[in-house]
Amino acid sequence: MTPEVRRAHVTRARDLFNAGEYWLAHEALETVWRSIISDGDAGAARVWQGLIQAAAALLHQQGGNSHGVATVGRGALEKLAGRQRPDVEVETVRFREQLERALAGDAEPPRLELRAADGELRTDEGNR
């Protein structure tokens, strides 16, 4: 997958996720994850799998499936733990903190935020 195609998939996943379209976001995130697996980057693939599981856990939460929230959410939180990886285009540290609160019912769902090439959060119109 070229960097441009990857960025398009990541941007689409972000837009879907932030609109609460968790199933469609899950599918878009999975496309990126599969390309990372084929590249052999297990560390980055684990983080992307955590993002996929975050979307699935929030989908379970929307549907009132507390068991799904607990089990899938736990997996997401485990995979998203740790420092921000420089090779992952979305911010994951604050995302994970907000996800944990949201899954506990104490906060709104987190928003996916894209990072610029220099690691700073992007402030483009679609990311506000």
Side-chain angles (χ1 to χ4, degrees):
M1 176 180 297
T2 67
E4 295 79 18
V5 170
R6 177 177 165 138
R7 190 61 154 191
H9 283 289
V10 172
T11 300
R12 176 166 165 66
R14 181 220 39 212
D15 293 345
L16 291 165
F17 190 99
N18 292 346
E21 296 288 340
Y22 300 121
W23 174 252
L24 295 173
H26 173 283
E27 294 296 305
L29 290 164
E30 198 167 82
T31 300
V32 176
W33 175 65
R34 284 187 186 139
S35 75
I36 293 167
I37 289 173
S38 70
D39 290 344
D41 188 346
R46 180 176 169 80
V47 172
W48 285 99
Q49 187 178 26
L51 293 168
I52 292 165
Q53 289 177 319
L58 291 167
L59 183 64
H60 285 305
Q61 192 173 51
Q62 281 180 337
N65 178 354
S66 59
H67 178 72
V69 172
T71 57
V72 178
R74 185 171 44 253
L77 293 170
E78 288 172 7
K79 289 175 181 72
L80 293 170
R83 300 172 121 171
Q84 175 71 48
R85 288 186 57 101
D87 55 351
V88 174
E89 297 96 322
V90 296
E91 189 284 324
T92 58
V93 175
R94 286 183 302 228
F95 177 89
R96 186 198 181 280
E97 292 168 0
Q98 183 72 12
L99 177 65
E100 187 170 24
R101 289 191 303 272
L103 295 177
D106 297 332
E108 293 295 314
R111 294 180 55 81
L112 278 180
E113 304 216 21
L114 298 183
R115 297 170 52 244
D118 62 4
E120 294 298 316
L121 289 180
R122 290 185 45 183
T123 58
D124 56 16
E125 192 60 34
N127 199 24
R128 289 187 182 164

